[in-house]
Amino acid sequence: MWIFLVTEVLFFGGLFTAYIIYRSKYFVDFAYAHQELSVPLGGLNTAILLTSSFTMALAVRSAMLNRWKPQMAYLAFTLLCALGFLVVKYFEYGHKFHHHLVPGPDFHFPVPQAQHAEIFFVLYFAMTGLHGLHVLVGAIAIAALMIRTYLMRNRRQDFVPVEMTGLYWHFVDIVWIFL
């Protein structure tokens, strides 16, 4: 899992590097484009993911103690947070589509160098879309853990799968903090 996470850090690191380079090159246009992002929705998603990190840590602890009912409850809450994050992101993306801020032939942004703002939104959608995909994969892994936990509820379970999923989930949360 650690090797996989290192490769993910390198992948996101490349995207962050591209963002930093283009932001320094087109600072003013990126600043204007950045004003189209929703601070309240971004803050809500940050709160959702931080809460989900806490409940995932509690799920790992419950798995270590072989307490399947609390583990199920914490995993369920974490899964709800993941889905809530995706719903908020759906509304945020909807706003961008409605205002023609999606890169492509229909892109429209009222600054003299709109193509620079378009680069901002290319990076925005690439980075947040990739992150959203990671959230979806994490939600699927959490759902699989819930099924596994329920099916093995009367047996002593190995907590390592929960711990590995927790590591992945914390990685997803940390990437969001940087985003």
Side-chain angles (χ1 to χ4, degrees), residues 8 20-21 23-24 29 33 44 59 64 75 81 97 99 101 105-106 111 127-128 132 137 157-158 172 174:
E8 291 293 296
I20 290 167
I21 290 168
R23 184 172 186 248
S24 66
D29 297 316
L44 175 61
M64 288 177 168
L75 288 173
C81 287
F97 275 89
H99 289 94
L101 298 175
D106 200 30
V111 294
M127 295 169 82
T128 60
V137 168
Q157 295 181 43
D158 181 11
V172 168
I174 289 169

Side-chain angles (χ1 to χ4, degrees), residues 74-139:
Y74 293 132
L75 288 173
F77 192 83
T78 305
L79 179 59
L80 286 175
C81 287
L83 298 176
F85 175 90
L86 293 173
V87 167
V88 170
K89 195 47 84 177
Y90 169 82
F91 285 108
E92 194 173 359
Y93 276 15
H95 174 267
K96 306 291 180 288
F97 275 89
H98 180 72
H99 289 94
H100 305 283
L101 298 175
V102 178
D106 200 30
F107 182 80
H108 176 71
F109 196 74
V111 294
Q113 299 293 329
Q115 69 271 21
H116 299 161
E118 190 171 14
I119 293 170
F120 172 86
F121 285 106
V122 165
L123 291 168
Y124 167 79
F125 280 107
M127 295 169 82
T128 60
L130 185 62
H131 179 265
L133 180 63
H134 280 76
V135 170
L136 180 62
V137 168

